[in-house]
Amino acid sequence: MPASEASSVTTAERKNILLHTPLMALAVAAFGIGTSEFIIMGLLPNLADDFHVSIPRAGVLVTGYALSVTIGAPIVAIATARLERKLALLLLMGVFTLGNLACAVAPTYNLLFAARVLTALCHGAFFGIGSVVAANLVPRNQRAQAIALMFSGLTLANVLGVPAGTALGQAYGWRFAFWAIVPIGLIAAIAVFFLVPKQAAGSGSLLHEFRVLRKPQVLLVLAMSILTSASLFCVFTYIAPTLEAVTLVSPTPSPSRSCSSASASP
C-alpha cells in the first residue's frame, strides 16, 4: 500500500474512533473521576480553615483517597468480576456520584474522610473495567487508541476540570466544588447507560492475574510507577499552601491589600 493511502486510512480511522460515542461516554466518566481526585489539593487551605485542622491533617484526605484506590480497587474488581461489565460501570458511577454528594454535605472532617474513601473505591475498578470495555468496542488494531481516548478524560480533568473546580471552590466555598461534580457523575452514568453496549463478564480468574507479579519486569514497572506517583503527589498535595507561603499570593485579596488599593485610587 502506498504511503499516501496508508496515511489516509490512518486519518480516517482516527476520525471514526473520535466519533465513537460509547468511548466519549467513558471519557466523560474519566473526566469526572479525575476532577474529583485532584480537586481537593487546590482547596486544602479552605478545608483546613473550615474544619479547624492543620494543613498536614487536611492532607490526610489525599492519603485516604489514595489508599482506598490502592486497596479497594482489587477488592471491588473481584466483587464485580461476575457482573455484566456495563452494569458494573453503572454501579461504580453510582458510588462515585453518591460519594461526591456525601463530600459536599459532610458536616465534619471524619465524615468527609469517609466520603472520600467511599468515592475512591470506584476509581481503580472503573478504569480497569472501562479499559476492557473500550478495547472491546473497536477492532483489534484500534484498541490502544480507544483506551487512550477514554483516558483523555483524565487528562482534560487535570487541564480543565481541576482548575475550574478549584476556582469555584475558592470563590463560593469548597462544598460548591463537590456539588459541581455531582451532575458530571449523573451525566456520565446516563451516557454509559444509553451509549455503551452490554458486555459479558470476564471468564478468567482475577486471582490468577496476580501471578504476573512474580515477573521482575512487572515489579520494576510497578516500582517506577510508585516512585513517580509518590513524588508527584508530595508536591501537588501541598501546592496551594506552599504557593501561598512562598509567593504570598492568596486566592482572596487580603484586607491590607484591599485598603492600600482603595487609598491609591483617586
Side-chain angles (χ1 to χ4, degrees), residues 28-59:
V28 172
F31 176 83
I33 293 174
T35 301
S36 177
E37 176 187 10
F38 293 106
I39 198 172
I40 199 168
M41 299 175 184
L43 301 174
L44 216 60
N46 307 69
L47 289 163
D49 291 340
D50 196 16
F51 290 117
H52 306 290
V53 297
S54 64
I55 291 292
R57 190 180 179 193

Side-chain angles (χ1 to χ4, degrees), residues 19 53 77 94 164 197 226 234:
L19 296 175
V53 297
I226 291 171
C234 283

Side-chain angles (χ1 to χ4, degrees), residues 82-202:
R82 297 185 180 276
L83 293 177
E84 187 269 322
R85 286 172 180 154
K86 177 179 177 178
L87 176 60
L89 291 177
L90 289 172
L91 290 175
L92 292 173
M93 287 310 302
V95 172
F96 168 80
T97 305
L98 290 175
N100 280 285
L101 178 62
C103 289
V105 300
T108 65
Y109 172 86
N110 290 333
L111 289 178
L112 177 61
F113 182 87
R116 289 290 292 173
V117 170
L118 173 65
T119 306
L121 286 176
C122 72
H123 184 119
F126 182 91
F127 283 115
I129 298 173
S131 296
V132 176
V133 171
N136 290 337
L137 288 171
V138 297
R140 182 178 295 272
N141 65 327
Q142 293 183 345
R143 287 182 174 179
Q145 298 176 37
I147 296 173
L149 180 58
M150 185 192 77
F151 275 91
S152 67
L154 189 60
T155 303
L156 288 175
N158 288 293
V159 176
L160 300 176
V162 174
T166 302
L168 286 173
Q170 291 175 347
Y172 302 104
W174 64 267
R175 295 181 188 275
F176 192 88
F178 286 102
W179 278 115
I181 298 175
V182 172
I184 298 177
L186 293 175
I187 292 171
I190 293 172
V192 170
F193 180 80
F194 285 106
L195 300 177
V196 177
K198 291 184 178 181
Q199 292 187 13

